[in-house]
Amino acid sequence: MVMGLHLLLLVFILGLGLTPPTLAQNDIRYIRFLEEHYDPKTRNGNDRYCEKMMRLRNMISPCKGTNTFIHGNKESIKAICGTENGESYNGNKRISKSAFQVTICKHRGGSPRPPCQYRATAGFRNVVVACENGLPVHLDESIFRP
């Protein structure tokens, strides 16, 4: 039994050594991207939504100036990094071919310390992301395309 646990631990450690550090780092950056910008449950965020989400996502110490929440599915967002739902934009960025429902939360001003107050703007926008290894890792902007 002890021998089996040692063997399992050895296989696990070897597996960690074989995982490329950049892949692990990109996974962390992708997870962070989702934490900051992904919310599939809401469709039309209002001011109270922004204040709640910014607090839940720990973006209020200090108050973050602007943050965009994308209300879509992960696969469609990831597809921006490929040709299925994305195309090259301004060098190394990608812009979505389709519009996503988004809520943009802007700090109303005043003190950068909590309690933070936000104004929401909801609508459909194309999003611009930076990708690494086929995953979005940074939301650059959202663009209204008529």
Side-chain angles (χ1 to χ4, degrees):
M1 177 72 176
V2 173
M3 181 70 156
L5 289 174
H6 284 115
L7 183 60
L8 183 62
L9 182 61
L10 178 63
V11 169
F12 176 74
I13 291 171
L14 287 174
L16 288 177
L18 296 175
T19 302
T22 55
L23 182 59
Q25 181 182 9
N26 287 335
D27 285 346
I28 291 169
R29 293 187 70 196
Y30 172 62
I31 290 167
R32 182 69 182 145
F33 171 87
L34 293 175
E35 288 172 354
E36 284 188 26
H37 302 293
Y38 177 63
D39 180 24
K41 296 176 184 157
T42 302
R43 291 290 170 232
N44 287 316
N46 58 25
D47 294 355
R48 287 178 50 191
Y49 164 82
C50 282
E51 290 164 9
K52 176 184 173 187
M53 290 302 291
M54 296 298 281
R55 187 176 61 254
L56 288 173
R57 304 285 174 99
N58 295 317
M59 293 187 270
I60 60 163
S61 188
C63 303
K64 186 174 180 181
T66 302
N67 193 68
T68 301
F69 291 100
I70 304 170
H71 312 299
N73 68 59
K74 288 181 194 177
E75 295 308 312
S76 295
I77 296 168
K78 283 198 307 192
I80 300 169
C81 295
T83 57
E84 183 181 328
N85 191 27
E87 51 193 36
S88 184
Y89 183 81
N90 281 351
N92 63 345
K93 298 175 192 163
R94 307 282 299 171
I95 187 167
S96 63
K97 291 180 182 177
S98 61
F100 288 89
Q101 178 122 20
V102 300
T103 301
I104 302 168
C105 302
K106 288 191 178 184
H107 185 242
R108 292 185 188 183
S111 174
R113 297 180 186 183
C116 306
Q117 293 184 330
Y118 289 90
R119 178 146 336 268
T121 304
F124 286 88
R125 306 272 173 108
N126 293 77
V127 295
V128 177
V129 298
C131 299
E132 291 180 6
N133 293 329
L135 297 172
V137 294
H138 173 74
L139 179 65
D140 194 61
E141 60 183 311
S142 62
I143 298 173
F144 174 73
R145 282 184 166 175

